[in-house]
Amino acid sequence: PARPLKPGPAAPPRRTLYLNNHRINTPPMLVKVFGAAVQGIDAIVVTIEVNCTQGIHFFMVGLPDTAVKESHERILSAVEHNGYRFPRKQLIVNMSPADIRKEGAAYDLPLAIGILAADEKIAADKLNEYMIMGELSLDGTILPVKGALPIAIKAREEGYKGLILPKANAHEAAVVNNLDVYGVEKITEVIEFFNGTHTLLPTTVDTRAEFYKEYTCFDMDFADVKGQENVKRAFEVAAAGGHNIILVGPPGAGKSMMAKRLPSILPPLTLQEALETTKIHSVAGKMGRETSLLSHRPFRAPHHTISSVALVGGGSFPQPGEISLAHNGVLFLDELPEFSRQVLEVMRQPLEDRKITIARSKYTIEYPAGVMLVASMNPCPCGYYNHPTKPCICSPGAVQRYLNKISGPLLDRIDIQCEIVPVPFEKISDTQPSEPSEKIRERVIAARQQQSKRFENYPGIYCNAQMTTRLLNEFAQPDEAGLKRLKDAMTRFNLSARAYDRILKVARTIADLDHSDTVQAHHISEAISYRNLDRENWAG
């Protein structure tokens, strides 16, 4: 006969209540706490449900990643370090919606509050009015998280009364109006707040005052640039029309110097653009502790060893890349031929569509990528081709091979190609200040205002660089003399067919700077002068 099974250990006694001298079992305690998950540059609400019953196990479900699962140890240490007892019961935690992966340690604080509320250490009556996010250290200190701004925007959209998050992120999130943002440093502040024994003061930020405080302050100015008047003019045209630009010249000619000064002549950010740009930097964790809203257009200059994923975004835990961090600003690629060909080719679609779409098997994320591309390069491997005083020592054909590192489709997306030569000593030693950025910026803003009025009935078109062929035929057709000059130039310099539309776009911008309703012959002439690399005989 089969041997009888040994009896297992007795179940732990259940907590009992008495009503009219009749014993009743303690019902399980279920509470809900609300957090958020960041996807792309937007957030979605995550409901954290904690069920506390008799038992000894801890279960966490809802597609948490390893960092979320490890929160149990951080919460246990933080709670008991601050004089509270972690519940010795069975805890079931569900993070809804369960089909979205929860990543990172930012869920520590809402999980801890939910667990303590389920164990009746915290009053749960006000938990549904607040969204809570924060990472816990072992002593209960609350550490900063990424994506505070999109989380705050989502909290306001969903009608929450307030947002509780780390104090380091409070200034950033407080730019969202009609929402109480509470910055906290210790978990005890949150516990006592919900128990009514401690008052939290909301962080207040005057959004417009913060935005306009450094609206026109720049560290770099075109007044520092000696000579190079034709190149400064090319930058003015590029800024006025939103055109991509490439500078070709020897070392020390001033390519990087002028590129870094380009943001000082670009039109100022609108409040909507500033909010969108700040969201991207918030998601990437690039915001400073006391920074609330970006007031200057971003300037990103990645090194030429950058990978394609780092440039366009993505990865195991998707993050915006350099091209998205430069959204509404400038992406500067110095020494363009030194970038790997794969990196340069992945830029073609974002430059055209002004957005990045990262597709994975289970999700698709979209990041904005409306950048103005500024590139610089030497004319040859030694750097001195066409130099006025130093001879080029490159072998025959080396110049053309060097230029061929940049593909035709990528070059097709660069409207202005400008050759730059070194500044002579007389110009360098000149003590007279050059034209300041402020003066150039006034002309650029005036030209952009004309374009805004021109394209007000065309959604998604904001500047001349975005014009389609149909809009070119409507707004950028030159007069008879201009058309003849364009035909002569294309025949004489053997310009490629792709140069035709680019010349018309740039000529339309030059006409806007000239306050002209029509594209005239001298506008066409100047635009043709910005197509150096399209000439077949440029590299000999």
Side-chain angles (χ1 to χ4, degrees):
R3 296 176 62 184
L5 296 174
K6 292 182 179 180
R14 300 189 65 183
R15 186 160 60 113
T16 57
L17 294 175
Y18 290 88
L19 181 65
N20 297 329
N21 293 324
H22 294 285
R23 189 178 71 178
I24 59 174
N25 290 326
T26 304
M29 184 67 177
L30 175 66
V31 299
K32 294 184 179 182
V33 183
F34 300 94
V38 177
Q39 284 197 322
I41 61 170
D42 298 310
I44 59 172
V45 176
V46 173
T47 304
I48 298 173
E49 303 171 309
V50 183
N51 191 23
C52 184
T53 59
Q54 294 293 331
I56 57 173
H57 297 292
F58 181 88
F59 301 100
M60 184 178 290
V61 296
L63 212 60
D65 74 345
T66 304
V68 180
K69 292 178 180 177
E70 289 173 348
S71 65
H72 177 272
E73 282 68 30
R74 292 192 295 270
I75 294 169
L76 174 63
S77 174
V79 166
E80 299 200 341
H81 189 274
N82 286 277
Y84 295 88
R85 186 173 181 269
F86 192 87
R88 268 58 174 180
K89 299 175 184 177
Q90 178 165 289
L91 294 169
I92 302 175
V93 179
N94 177 45
M95 306 180 77
S96 173
D99 60 337
I100 295 175
R101 189 167 183 80
K102 321 304 182 304
E103 300 171 343
Y107 299 100
D108 289 357
L109 183 59
L111 284 169
I113 297 302
I115 289 170
L116 291 176
D119 194 38
E120 300 180 355
K121 300 288 195 308
I122 296 178
D125 54 332
K126 295 191 295 183
L127 290 178
N128 63 339
E129 298 177 1
Y130 297 89
M131 186 178 282
I132 307 171
M133 292 297 285
E135 178 183 345
L136 285 175
S137 66
L138 296 183
D139 63 353
T141 302
I142 301 176
L143 306 176
V145 299
K146 296 179 180 179
L149 181 56
I151 290 171
I153 293 172
K154 188 64 177 180
R156 183 184 64 180
E157 289 177 356
E158 296 295 324
Y160 288 95
K161 181 179 178 182
L163 170 65
I164 298 173
L165 78 173
K167 192 169 185 178
N169 298 115
H171 208 66
E172 172 188 341
V175 300
V176 179
N177 53 14
N178 301 323
L179 178 74
D180 292 335
V181 175
Y182 301 101
V184 291
E185 294 181 312
K186 298 283 288 186
I187 189 174
T188 51
E189 298 177 42
V190 186
I191 297 172
E192 293 168 2
F193 170 73
F194 284 112
N195 285 336
T197 59
H198 179 71
T199 302
L200 294 177
L201 298 177
T203 303
T204 56
V205 171
D206 188 337
T207 306
R208 294 189 178 274
E210 286 282 322
F211 177 61
Y212 292 113
K213 182 172 62 176
E214 297 182 355
Y215 196 60
T216 56
C217 298
F218 294 94
D219 295 331
M220 298 184 180
D221 196 288
F222 268 99
D224 305 328
V225 180
K226 303 296 184 182
Q228 305 292 13
E229 299 303 328
N230 62 323
V231 183
K232 285 194 279 189
R233 170 65 177 178
F235 271 111
E236 180 180 341
V237 173
H243 303 288
N244 299 326
I245 181 173
I246 183 171
L247 303 176
V248 184
K255 302 185 295 294
S256 302
M257 179 184 186
M258 282 187 281
K260 291 175 182 178
R261 283 157 175 75
L262 179 59
S264 67
I265 65 172
L266 288 172
L269 284 168
T270 64
L271 203 55
Q272 183 61 36
E273 286 177 331
L275 192 63
E276 186 178 30
T277 307
T278 305
K279 282 173 66 176
I280 300 171
H281 286 249
S282 175
V283 169
K286 304 292 185 182
M287 297 294 292
R289 185 183 180 93
E290 293 300 323
T291 305
S292 57
L293 201 62
L294 296 178
S295 55
H296 289 164
R297 293 187 181 272
F299 180 89
R300 306 293 298 185
H303 193 259
H304 61 258
T305 55
I306 191 172
S307 67
S308 56
V309 172
L311 184 66
V312 301
S316 303
F317 304 100
Q319 288 286 300
E322 289 291 331
I323 196 169
S324 293
L325 291 171
H327 179 61
N328 290 323
V330 177
L331 178 67
F332 177 47
L333 302 183
D334 199 7
E335 304 297 343
L336 187 66
E338 302 304 325
F339 286 79
S340 74
R341 193 174 185 88
Q342 180 186 3
V343 170
L344 295 179
E345 294 309 299
V346 297
M347 290 177 54
R348 287 159 49 179
Q349 180 262 338
L351 289 176
E352 195 75 25
D353 298 342
R354 302 176 69 83
K355 63 182 179 181
I356 293 281
T357 303
I358 299 170
R360 297 291 183 267
S361 59
K362 294 184 179 179
Y363 58 85
T364 300
I365 293 176
E366 191 173 281
Y367 293 117
V371 303
M372 180 176 168
L373 175 65
V374 180
S376 72
M377 59 178 287
N378 295 329
C380 65
C382 79
Y384 295 107
Y385 179 76
N386 275 352
H387 194 281
T389 58
K390 294 185 179 181
C392 174
I393 60 172
C394 297
S395 60
V399 178
Q400 192 61 54
R401 285 195 299 272
Y402 191 69
L403 293 178
N404 286 342
K405 290 184 177 182
I406 307 170
S407 68
L410 178 61
L411 205 59
D412 185 31
R413 289 160 174 81
I414 301 177
D415 298 343
I416 297 177
Q417 304 159 0
C418 189
E419 190 175 1
I420 179 172
V421 296
V423 182
F425 176 78
E426 292 76 15
K427 290 285 186 180
I428 297 176
S429 59
D430 189 4
T431 57
Q432 287 288 96
S434 301
E435 186 178 27
S437 295
E438 184 180 357
K439 296 283 187 181
I440 304 174
R441 195 185 205 196
E442 290 174 0
R443 297 195 294 268
V444 169
I445 292 173
R448 283 289 184 104
Q449 288 172 347
Q450 294 182 52
Q451 294 164 47
S452 297
K453 186 177 180 180
R454 179 183 302 134
F455 303 127
E456 60 185 355
N457 296 324
Y458 300 92
I461 306 295
Y462 306 105
C463 57
N464 289 334
Q466 298 174 279
M467 282 195 292
T468 61
T469 303
R470 184 170 65 87
L471 292 179
L472 279 173
N473 293 332
E474 184 176 352
F475 297 117
Q477 280 304 304
D479 57 19
E480 186 176 345
L483 194 61
K484 183 178 183 302
R485 189 164 298 181
L486 179 56
K487 179 182 178 181
D488 293 343
M490 293 194 69
T491 304
R492 179 182 175 187
F493 298 118
N494 203 12
L495 295 177
S496 59
R498 68 171 180 260
Y500 180 81
D501 284 358
R502 305 292 166 180
I503 290 173
L504 289 183
K505 288 181 181 181
V506 175
R508 178 65 266 176
T509 301
I510 296 169
D512 289 339
L513 287 169
D514 204 20
H515 304 289
S516 173
D517 293 331
T518 60
V519 178
Q520 300 171 14
H522 64 278
H523 302 144
I524 292 290
S525 297
E526 185 177 350
I528 291 169
S529 70
Y530 297 138
R531 299 299 300 183
N532 293 96
L533 297 184
D534 272 336
R535 303 175 187 178
E536 286 191 352
N537 61 347
W538 187 85

